[in-house]
Amino acid sequence: MTDVTYDKVTMFGADWCRDCRRSKALLDTLGVDYDYVDVEADLSAADRAEAISGRKNIPVVVLPNGKHFVEPSDAELRAELEASSLV
């Protein structure tokens, strides 16, 4: 795993991934300012996501505080966004 940090919420995902679409929709619904990194369009993105999470699964959602989630449930992601004052 890596100690890379991001200035805002960053989500690594792919358009074909149902969990990615769900997490992206939640971020949009909550009005979260985030960067979306398509692991298919950016060839190094999958490696970066794996370095962060230690896994090959997506989505990987990274918060500015360095905390990350792999395939988070909506409830889990919403709770952490609220706890981190991001919504």
Side-chain angles (χ1 to χ4, degrees):
M1 294 190 228
T2 182
D3 291 331
V4 173
T5 58
Y6 295 91
D7 293 336
K8 61 183 174 180
V9 174
T10 302
M11 180 181 148
F12 293 86
D15 291 341
W16 52 262
C17 170
R18 184 182 325 170
D19 287 330
C20 298
R21 291 192 307 263
R22 181 181 45 74
S23 291
K24 192 170 188 253
L26 177 65
L27 294 172
D28 290 340
T29 298
L30 295 174
V32 175
D33 182 26
Y34 68 97
D35 285 329
Y36 178 75
V37 182
D38 186 329
V39 298
E40 293 199 321
D42 179 346
L43 299 180
S44 68
D47 291 336
R48 291 195 327 259
E50 184 178 354
I52 291 164
S53 68
R55 299 170 54 188
K56 292 188 179 290
N57 306 61
I58 53 173
V60 175
V61 181
V62 185
L63 304 184
N65 65 9
K67 192 167 190 175
H68 73 273
F69 296 89
V70 180
E71 298 179 325
S73 70
D74 284 353
E76 177 183 33
L77 184 53
R78 178 189 293 262
E80 187 57 37
L81 290 167
E82 290 172 353
S84 300
S85 300
L86 294 167
V87 293

